[in-house]
Amino acid sequence: MSHSRHLLSGRCVRGLMLSVLLLGALSLSGCYGRFGLLNGVLSSAGLHRAPVVPPPGLIYTSYKAPLDYDFTNDGVGTTVSDEVGSEEANTHFIRIPFINLSFAWGDAGIETAQEKLKTSDYADYEFFTVLTIYSNFAVHAYGER
Amino acid sequence: MKKKLLGVVGAAALAVTLSGCLSVPVMPPYGIVYTDYKAPLDFDQEKSPVGERSGSAETMSIVGLVAMGDASIQTAAEDGNIKTIYGADYEYFNVLGIYQTYKTVVHGE
């Protein structure tokens, strides 16, 4: 009886260790964009999803990347502009470590990002995170004012 | 037996960790030890003019722990002094997940 209990607890511990190891590895590898089942878990861990995600860092990440990658429609290319829409289109994320409670808020909608623009031609995004405790995701739309 | 299994799973997890990976619309097969390729970012090609100029912008990641850079369309277009963008590729470089770079390359005129 005590032997079977010992085995059961051993299996539980090993299973837990494997789960933690795999989740940690996937987090570190930046593969979260590919694993649908893990997306929810890892999105709530302060990481993000986007069409283009460069390799991230678990301790510190700060980069800009394309949000839009379709540049030609009916033979007409996308005009590059220096005019950016609203700088206030962003969301914030804060996670309390160990108890794993997280809070996210903000507006990174394209409508907000397009404020002050007459037409929006393309968009980039900016992602910043420190230890996945604090994350910021911002959208920059470019076009004509 | 269980130790071996644990070792295999651990090694696989480590390989995934070290290999690193990115998320893009089009991704050719990549190597765990070494990857260096260019692939399409903009794959919707319909009457697309061919741009003569190119510009690029790059991010880097070290050991999957620290990542930084600017691979935005805006910066890539400014780099190539491009006024009209017709298409885009990306370049991905990875050595054992220790050092990775992602580069956005835009084409236009």
Side-chain angles (χ1 to χ4, degrees), chain A residues 7 11 14 17-18 21-22 24-26 28-34 50-83 122-125 142, chain B residues 2 6 9-10 13-14 16-17 19-25 27 30 41-44 46-49 59-61 63-75 77-78 82-88 92 100-102 104 106:
Chain A
L7 272 178
R11 279 178 191 163
R14 275 194 289 274
M17 280 174 63
L18 277 177
L21 186 66
L22 280 171
L26 290 170
L28 282 170
S29 71
C31 288
Y32 48 85
R34 293 172 151 206
V52 176
V53 180
L58 197 62
I59 293 175
Y60 175 84
T61 297
S62 176
Y63 56 57
K64 285 183 182 177
L67 189 63
D68 179 13
Y69 51 82
D70 183 9
F71 298 109
T72 306
N73 291 305
D74 292 327
V76 180
T78 299
T79 305
V80 177
S81 169
D82 290 332
E83 303 289 353
Y122 58 98
D124 290 318
Y125 75 88
Y142 299 90
Chain B
K2 285 175 183 172
L6 195 64
V9 173
L14 188 65
V16 172
T17 302
S19 71
C21 62
L22 74 164
S23 178
V24 280
M27 191 167 187
Y30 65 93
L41 188 63
D42 177 4
F43 55 86
D44 187 10
E46 190 181 346
K47 298 175 188 171
S48 296
T59 67
M60 59 174 278
S61 170
V63 206
L65 297 178
V66 175
M68 63 191 85
D70 181 350
S72 63
I73 301 160
Q74 187 71 9
T75 303
E78 284 171 5
I82 292 169
K83 303 294 178 200
T84 305
I85 303 172
Y86 294 138
Y92 179 53
Q100 300 176 74
T101 63
Y102 165 85
T104 300
V106 296

